Amino acid sequence: LQLGIICALLLLIGLMAFVTMMIRSTLPIEFLILLPFFAIIISILFDSRTAFRWLVIAVLMVAGIRGNDFTIAIAGLAAGVLAIFTVRDIKSRTQLFRSIAFSMLGYTIAILALGLERADSIADMSLQLGFAAINAVISPVLTFGVILLIENLFNVATDLKLLEYDDLNHPLLRALADKAPGTYQHTLTIARLAESAAVAINANPLL
């Protein structure tokens, strides 16, 4: 299932790169390729290291499909790496929207650095930044919806879902604390022991 999700996302990124080649446009539509979305969703479903490895594969694939266009590869890599950083220790779904600023920061640094190196006009760089901003906004929003779909459709327990279960204000846990306080305290103690054991063997302590 996990490999299937990654392959489907890679196929989507490759298809987007191919479409940007087929569309004859003077606009920098290549900056709409959802590389930050790819990085964020892989990071949430797996971990940041896995996300970085697959992001490198994705940007190289995009560069190859677009005829060795390493401008979009470098920009996508910069935006994707910063997007991964924002969700590395994600605690709530609203934290996803922090990725908008960091993805845009990555695109901005790459676009300005490459544009100044090639002596691009301010108008060209501004247009690229505009399309990158659209991508930076769309990617976290799209991730929000896709994560919900994957969790419910494939019964995948992401860290976000586990954190929602771990909320002590959850109605079921509050009811347990009110109606069976002894069982509630015993459950918390066992949970802490399980967490410590998981840390000791490098397992997922949240799970």
Side-chain angles (χ1 to χ4, degrees):
L1 174 62
Q2 294 174 336
L3 185 59
I5 292 172
I6 292 176
C7 289
L9 293 171
L10 270 179
L11 181 62
L12 172 65
I13 296 299
L15 182 62
M16 294 187 73
F18 178 75
V19 169
T20 60
M21 286 294 291
M22 293 297 101
I23 297 176
R24 302 298 178 185
S25 174
T26 57
L27 297 174
I29 57 175
E30 64 272 16
F31 286 96
L32 294 178
I33 298 173
L34 298 173
L35 288 167
F37 159 74
F38 177 83
I40 294 170
I41 200 165
I42 295 297
S43 184
I44 292 174
L45 290 175
F46 305 98
D47 56 69
S48 56
R49 290 184 180 181
T50 302
F52 177 74
R53 295 188 187 107
W54 283 103
L55 176 63
V56 172
I57 294 172
V59 297
L60 290 175
M61 179 186 70
V62 168
I65 291 173
R66 288 189 48 80
N68 297 328
D69 182 2
F70 288 100
T71 297
I72 187 60
I74 292 171
L77 183 62
V81 166
L82 288 181
I84 290 171
F85 173 77
T86 62
V87 297
R88 184 179 57 178
D89 57 347
I90 191 165
K91 301 299 182 187
S92 68
R93 296 183 191 274
T94 55
Q95 193 176 333
L96 277 171
F97 297 102
R98 190 177 65 170
S99 303
I100 295 174
F102 280 82
S103 297
M104 191 59 212
L105 177 62
Y107 273 127
T108 301
I109 292 171
I111 289 170
L112 291 180
L114 294 170
L116 292 173
E117 186 269 334
R118 293 184 308 221
D120 288 346
S121 68
I122 294 177
D124 287 342
M125 288 189 287
S126 298
L127 197 57
Q128 292 174 359
L129 288 170
F131 276 79
I134 295 172
N135 192 346
V137 171
I138 290 175
S139 290
V141 174
L142 189 59
T143 301
F144 191 93
V146 171
I147 286 293
L148 282 174
L149 181 65
I150 291 174
E151 286 175 342
N152 294 313
L153 196 60
F154 299 107
N155 198 28
V156 174
T158 65
D159 282 358
L160 289 172
K161 178 64 74 175
L162 293 174
L163 282 167
E164 290 173 0
Y165 292 148
D166 195 39
D167 182 8
L168 296 182
N169 289 317
H170 190 285
L172 283 176
L173 289 179
R174 290 173 66 91
L176 182 64
D178 291 339
K179 297 178 181 179
T183 301
Y184 177 77
Q185 292 300 327
H186 174 71
T187 302
L188 291 182
T189 302
I190 295 301
R192 292 192 189 99
L193 288 172
E195 182 181 25
S196 298
V199 171
I201 62 172
N202 294 320
N204 184 352
L206 181 60
L207 179 59

